[in-house]
């Protein structure tokens, strides 16, 4: 176990950040799942804008890699554009 006050504080802060990152990542994954299950193209386009914003925020905070965010946005936009 850590002996320094700063190390103990860092452990606490890391746990808080881990929980927050997990929540934001899971929320984004659920939104992506909702988009993939969407049938209506206009609703899917609205969702795509929100999801792209979520992905950009996660990439900015280094929760996910920037390239992964770009790949997901590309794949999802292709999916939405292919809808009839």
């Amino acid at each position: 176990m850590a002996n320094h006050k700063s190390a103990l504080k860092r452990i606490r802060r890391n746990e808080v950040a881990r929980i927050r990152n997990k929540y934001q990542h899971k929320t984004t994954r659920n939104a992506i799942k909702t988009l993939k299950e969407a049938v209506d193209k206009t609703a899917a386009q609205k969702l795509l804008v929100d999801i792209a914003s979520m992905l950009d925020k996660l990439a900015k905070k280094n929760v996910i890699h920037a390239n992964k965010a770009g790949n997901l946005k590309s794949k999802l936009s292709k999916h939405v554009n292919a809808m009839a």
Side-chain angles (χ1 to χ4, degrees):
M1 188 63 191
N3 292 322
H4 297 281
K5 276 183 142 179
S6 61
L8 293 170
K9 181 178 179 181
R10 196 72 201 154
I11 290 168
R12 289 194 307 268
R13 289 188 59 206
N14 285 342
E15 181 63 17
V16 170
R18 184 185 71 82
I19 291 169
R20 181 176 54 242
N21 289 343
K22 188 171 87 169
Y23 170 77
Q24 291 173 341
H25 197 183
K26 185 66 177 173
T27 303
T28 306
R29 285 198 309 261
N30 286 338
I32 290 171
K33 187 176 177 184
T34 305
L35 174 66
K36 287 181 179 177
E37 293 172 350
V39 180
D40 184 31
K41 186 171 183 171
T42 55
Q45 287 172 333
K46 280 187 131 182
L47 264 175
L48 181 63
V49 173
D50 295 338
I51 291 171
S53 174
M54 287 173 152
L55 289 169
D56 287 336
K57 286 178 187 173
L58 289 179
K60 185 178 179 184
K61 295 176 186 175
N62 289 324
V63 177
I64 62 173
H65 196 276
N67 290 352
K68 180 179 175 90
N71 289 339
L72 282 170
K73 289 193 302 185
S74 173
K75 193 179 288 189
L76 291 172
S77 61
K78 279 171 118 176
H79 175 73
V80 170
N81 289 335
M83 292 175 121

